[in-house]
């Protein structure tokens, strides 16, 4: 199972080796990233994985961020998302393009996707998979 894909002019599979910690971070379990806020005491309760993808575009191109996820444990306050922050070539930003996963254990593995159709060229994107806001554990 592919944990994470960013699509633009060409399809790019993001390398597991380039993954960075977000908030309380993640652990790898085979081909999946396990992000958990269970037992954390930090105020925002965030745990996830992130990647910075340099695009250096001269013309605007669509960005699509997609992932599959499954809830292991989620309370009513927790939410799990695929999430993009875009930095345009002119230095301006688009923060928080996101799609939320179903927190129900019965939902099983399911896919979420975010599409950004910018009017300006993109310098880079930071892409995230995370759990935040409550106590929960997701596999991506």
């Amino acid at each position: 199972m592919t944990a994470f894909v960013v699509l633009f002019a060409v399809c790019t599979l993001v390398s597991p080796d380039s993954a960075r910690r977000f908030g309380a971070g993640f652990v790898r379990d085979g081909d999946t990233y396990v992000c958990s806020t269970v037992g954390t005491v930090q105020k925002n309760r965030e745990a996830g994985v992130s990647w910075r993808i340099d695009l250096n575009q001269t013309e605007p191109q669509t960005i699509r961020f997609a992932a599959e996820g499954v809830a292991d444990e989620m309370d009513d306050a927790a939410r799990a998302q695929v999430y993009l922050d875009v930095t345009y070539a002119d230095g301006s930003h688009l923060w928080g393009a996101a799609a939320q996963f179903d927190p129900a254990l019965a939902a099983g593995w399911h896919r979420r996707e975010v599409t950004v159709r910018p009017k300006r060229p993109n310098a880079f994107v930071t892409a995230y998979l995370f759990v935040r806001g409550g106590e929960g554990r997701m596999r991506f």
Side-chain angles (χ1 to χ4, degrees):
M1 175 176 316
T2 301
F4 176 87
V5 178
V6 174
L7 302 171
F8 37 97
V10 275
C11 179
T12 301
L13 178 62
V14 177
S15 165
D17 296 332
S18 64
R20 296 186 298 190
R21 170 189 172 127
F22 173 74
F26 65 94
V27 293
R28 289 287 309 272
D29 182 11
D31 291 338
T32 63
Y33 298 95
V34 181
C35 303
S36 176
T37 59
V38 176
T40 61
V41 293
Q42 71 183 94
K43 181 180 177 183
N44 294 332
R45 285 197 164 170
E46 299 174 321
V49 57
S50 71
W51 295 264
R52 177 184 159 139
I53 301 105
D54 292 317
L55 300 175
N56 301 315
Q57 296 175 346
T58 56
E59 297 292 325
Q61 296 177 10
T62 298
I63 301 167
R64 184 171 295 129
F65 169 48
E68 293 180 344
V70 63
D72 279 350
E73 179 180 342
M74 299 288 272
D75 71 14
D76 290 340
R79 64 188 187 283
Q81 296 178 313
V82 294
Y83 192 97
L84 279 179
D85 287 334
V86 179
T87 299
Y88 297 110
D90 66 7
S92 62
H93 303 279
L94 168 68
W95 304 119
Q100 189 159 315
F101 283 92
D102 187 334
L105 300 178
W109 282 97
H110 56 287
R111 179 184 169 100
R112 290 295 179 258
E113 184 175 293
V114 174
T115 301
V116 175
R117 292 181 178 85
K119 297 190 187 313
R120 298 183 297 279
N122 303 290
F124 66 91
V125 297
T126 306
Y128 304 86
L129 299 171
F130 61 72
V131 175
R132 82 166 28 152
E135 199 164 288
R137 182 173 38 249
M138 280 292 285
R139 293 180 176 275
F140 300 102

